[in-house]
Amino acid sequence: MAGRYFSRLFGCSANGMGSNDNPITSIEGDQCKKRRHYQREKKLAQHLYGQYSMALVQANSENEDRCQLVSGPLSNVPGGPTGVFVGIYDGHAGDICSQFVLDNLFNDLKTAITDQHINEVNPFTIQQAYLSTEEKFLVHARANWGQNGKLASTGSCCLSGVVHGHTLYVANAGDSRAVLARWGVGDENAEAVQLSIDCNANDAQQRDELRAEHQDDPNLLKLRNGRWLVRDRIEVTRAIGDVYLKFSEFNRFPLQARFRLQHSILRPILKAEPIVEAYQLDEHDKFVIFASNGLWGEVTNEQAVTVVRASPRSGAARALLREALVRASHRHNMQYQQLINLPLDNKRSFHDDISIVILFFDTLPEPVNIPVVELL
């Protein structure tokens, strides 16, 4: 297997651009749309620095989430850096953009790393990958939105993690989240460390940043039913796609009427550039939970860490997913089984799509060379 990727594919066929261009990310069949509760998991498998568990659940009529794990080479040249890449792509207004990000972001990261003379992973290469994927999506939207107005309104939050050696880079454009669990020998309680910044208008710091950049826009933010919205449309302040909130040329037909803005924008409001944080891993760092916003709307960082720590590694992501759904069912005065048996047409009112990837770190003298591509 050395030098090659092997892949496992989970999910239903994607309608977004790129779904037929890359056989690794293209899955045929619509059987998932016929099920009342669509869930998938990878109980446990190996990555370069330990093990991982993955799970997802669908709530929308079409699953707008995508998630990804790649373990192996991080560049396009022999002898380049190796590591583990995790992507959580939380789409909105459809799955077109999240599928596009799945098809492009990791390859754009490899290209960005390869193009650097030092051939290294760093915050700059990660940011460049995001901006490259964003530019490709903008070109695609401009060329095709006349035939598909959804290309102007669809977008995707984009959380990624790159483990290279003892460094974990976490990049976030949106409100998905990465949470690290750490504890020492004999510690009864684990520490939950949030590694990503929630790029959401309900965070006061994010609102202040937006206002500072758009002082001439009196319609920038609106408080509706206790939630802050950007231009009365969306909560997130960073995302790939959502080009109608970036370029006024899209604020017309065929953009759906519910997305059209009464007052045109003067400059891009949402950003695709991620906030990148670097964290040095040590022996106290046990695992990282990467998950879409659907999870964090149901459990706190501390609750998530507690559930995973108390669960066997095999199926840990599914256990955390079930905890979130149990809490969602209780919030709506339902039983868990009633919730998961709801038809997809009704389920979104009770919870969101949820994608979870858990990276467990083991003490290994050298990374185990097991290249992996994992998609949910």
Side-chain angles (χ1 to χ4, degrees), residues 348-362:
R348 182 60 184 90
S349 300
F350 298 89
H351 68 86
D352 199 356
D353 298 331
I354 301 174
S355 295
I356 302 170
V357 178
I358 305 172
L359 282 187
F360 295 100
F361 300 114
D362 296 322

Side-chain angles (χ1 to χ4, degrees), residues 194-237:
Q194 184 170 326
L195 300 179
S196 56
I197 294 174
D198 294 344
C199 304
N200 188 298
N202 290 289
D203 180 272
Q205 184 175 346
Q206 298 299 309
R207 292 198 302 275
D208 290 344
E209 179 183 300
L210 270 182
R211 288 181 177 124
E213 295 174 350
H214 301 275
Q215 298 181 31
D216 53 355
D217 189 346
N219 306 291
L220 181 65
L221 293 163
K222 181 164 184 167
L223 185 63
R224 181 185 292 276
N225 298 324
R227 307 294 293 176
W228 286 97
L229 301 174
V230 178
R231 277 304 190 98
D232 200 22
R233 294 296 187 275
I234 193 170
E235 293 186 12
V236 296
T237 59

Side-chain angles (χ1 to χ4, degrees), residues 158-183:
C158 186
L159 169 70
S160 64
V162 183
V163 186
H164 176 56
H166 292 284
T167 304
L168 168 60
Y169 298 96
V170 175
N172 200 24
D175 56 5
S176 297
R177 189 180 299 173
V179 174
L180 171 75
R182 52 184 279 116
W183 64 84

